[in-house]
Amino acid sequence: MSEAPATTESPSNERTLFDIDPYAHDPTRWATSMAHHAELLVPCLDAARPARVAEVGAFAGDLTRLLLAWAESRGAQVEAIDPAPQPSLEALARESAALTLVREPSLKALAERELADAIVIDGDHNYYTVFHELKTIAERAGETLPLLFFHDLCWPHGRRDDYFDIEAIPAEYRQPIVGEGRGIYPGDPGTRPDGLPYPKSAAREGGERNGVLTAVEDFAREHPQARLAVVPVFFGFGAMWDRNAPYADDLERLLAPFDRNPLLARLEGNRVLQLARQHAYQVEIWRLKSVSQQRERVLSRLLESRAFALAERISRVRARLGIGRHASVVSREEVRRALAGDGASG
């Protein structure tokens, strides 16, 4: 990841609804939290008024805190589903009676627990997991789908799988992964050495059964009553609702102006390109620093070399005698200057 100064608190104008800090666990300020979608998500919740909201992939609890603030103000309940919750999420669960922490993989929890009225899908970002999460929800929901929200429908995981544990994915659904030493870059379907470090992502973007958006679209094609809106901001926000739901018209009015909006798409494309470029510049800085350190080590060893000291004396003698008068004489003083950054001129 590219290095950026950590911040302990965002300026007031960067806090979302319910005074939530979307950068609480994002020191690089990549805007990775779905809390950045608060101004879209909260009005949708207000329109649908779910009694229970489930969040798949709660992790550190940034979005959970937002959902919980909404739920406590509306008399609703929240379930945070994550097999490996972070300490901040665990603390949040201890603080609020409106939050239930479910320490199970999403497919197990969705199959066994009572289905919530609204569900956020933001867990394992690969086709197999997302498609089967949706399939499980649809099978249990019956005639009317619950309100569904999605994250990462745009680059990088919209069309490129990412795996928390690739061994948990059936072999026929696995993509070859990037691995160490390579990365991904907007506009490049493959990998490159200066790309963003996603070692568990698919090595190739696009194609069948690859990526979160691909899974959501495939599911929507099988369920014509489902309306999908994709808002291309902060890695991609999505909402899906049943066209027969009583709140369907309200959600249409809310999200239609943003759905696949080309202006927002260009802004997001530019944003992720700048993130990638910043990292690529940092990779080049690291490379140049490594080369410089290697040269410094060689020059330092050269200064300590008796053979170099002898060669310098012989060169000076030859120069005084007019032997090889046009030959360049490199002195230990020039090496010292080079190491000090003062140049190598004699």
Side-chain angles (χ1 to χ4, degrees):
M1 297 289 182
S2 57
E3 295 180 355
T7 58
T8 56
E9 187 175 355
S10 295
S12 59
N13 63 348
E14 293 189 64
R15 300 178 81 83
T16 69
L17 297 177
F18 296 103
D19 198 33
I20 302 298
D21 180 3
Y23 295 106
H25 297 93
D26 183 15
T28 58
R29 300 178 72 82
W30 278 21
T32 54
S33 171
M34 204 172 173
H36 284 279
H37 301 127
E39 287 79 6
L40 291 172
L41 194 150
V42 169
C44 290
L45 291 174
D46 282 339
R49 299 195 66 83
R52 292 176 58 247
V53 180
E55 179 191 4
V56 172
F59 191 60
D62 292 340
L63 177 63
T64 315
R65 192 174 295 276
L66 175 70
L67 295 174
L68 189 57
W70 178 87
E72 290 176 336
S73 70
R74 307 300 195 275
Q77 295 287 313
V78 176
E79 283 187 354
I81 301 171
D82 199 303
Q86 298 299 292
S88 57
L89 177 58
E90 295 176 319
L92 194 60
R94 290 191 296 268
E95 295 167 3
S96 175
L99 176 61
T100 300
L101 181 56
V102 182
R103 302 168 185 266
E104 293 179 347
S106 60
L107 292 175
K108 184 176 187 296
L110 291 171
E112 296 177 355
R113 298 183 64 82
E114 180 183 355
L115 206 60
D117 307 301
I119 304 172
V120 177
I121 304 294
D122 190 21
D124 206 8
H125 296 90
N126 57 74
Y127 182 95
Y128 172 82
T129 303
V130 174
F131 185 81
H132 285 84
E133 285 170 342
L134 293 172
K135 184 178 179 180
T136 300
I137 290 168
E139 289 172 350
R140 300 197 62 207
E143 294 183 0
T144 304
L145 291 171
L147 175 56
L148 300 167
F149 297 106
F150 306 95
H151 195 203
D152 294 282
L153 295 187
C154 295
W155 194 90
H157 299 315
R159 305 296 185 189
R160 191 192 290 258
D161 273 1
D162 189 74
Y163 307 101
F164 178 76
D165 178 10
I166 195 169
E167 296 301 322
I169 307 299
E172 63 270 25
Y173 283 92
R174 299 177 196 168
Q175 304 283 343
I177 62 174
V178 173
E180 299 294 337
R182 304 285 294 183
I184 61 178
Y185 201 91
D188 187 336
T191 66
R192 47 194 280 177
D194 62 350
L196 295 175
Y198 283 93
K200 295 183 179 181
S201 288
R204 197 76 186 171
E205 183 179 30
E208 296 182 354
R209 302 201 301 192
N210 192 9
V212 176
L213 181 57
T214 306
V216 173
E217 289 176 338
D218 285 357
F219 174 83
R221 276 192 289 271
E222 295 181 4
H223 297 80
Q225 83 276 25
R227 165 72 164 99
L228 171 64
V230 179
V231 185
V233 293
F234 295 120
F235 300 113
F237 169 83
M240 181 185 289
W241 62 91
D242 197 300
R243 298 178 192 272
N244 299 316
Y247 48 80
D249 290 344
D250 291 334
L251 292 190
E252 186 69 33
R253 282 191 292 271
L254 279 168
L255 295 178
F258 303 103
D259 185 14
R260 299 172 177 84
N261 184 289
L263 176 61
L264 296 179
R266 289 197 300 276
L267 285 170
E268 176 65 6
N270 180 267
R271 190 184 74 88
V272 297
L273 179 60
Q274 299 313 314
L275 292 178
R277 281 181 173 175
Q278 180 190 29
H279 179 75
Y281 294 151
Q282 186 63 60
V283 169
E284 180 63 11
I285 289 171
W286 289 333
R287 187 191 69 80
L288 292 174
K289 185 176 181 180
S290 176
V291 170
S292 177
Q293 289 174 339
Q294 183 177 4
R295 288 174 177 171
E296 287 179 7
R297 288 193 294 269
V298 171
L299 290 174
S300 295
R301 288 167 55 193
L302 195 61
L303 281 176
E304 299 171 358
S305 169
R306 293 181 179 179
F308 179 68
L310 178 60
E312 179 186 359
R313 289 196 293 270
I314 293 174
S315 295
R316 293 190 182 281
V317 170
R318 287 170 58 87
R320 286 197 297 270
L321 295 176
I323 304 173
R325 68 181 63 184
H326 299 298
S328 175
V329 178
V330 179
S331 69
R332 283 174 293 175
E333 181 58 31
E334 288 177 299
V335 173
R336 292 189 185 96
R337 290 177 182 174
L339 284 171
D342 294 333
S345 61

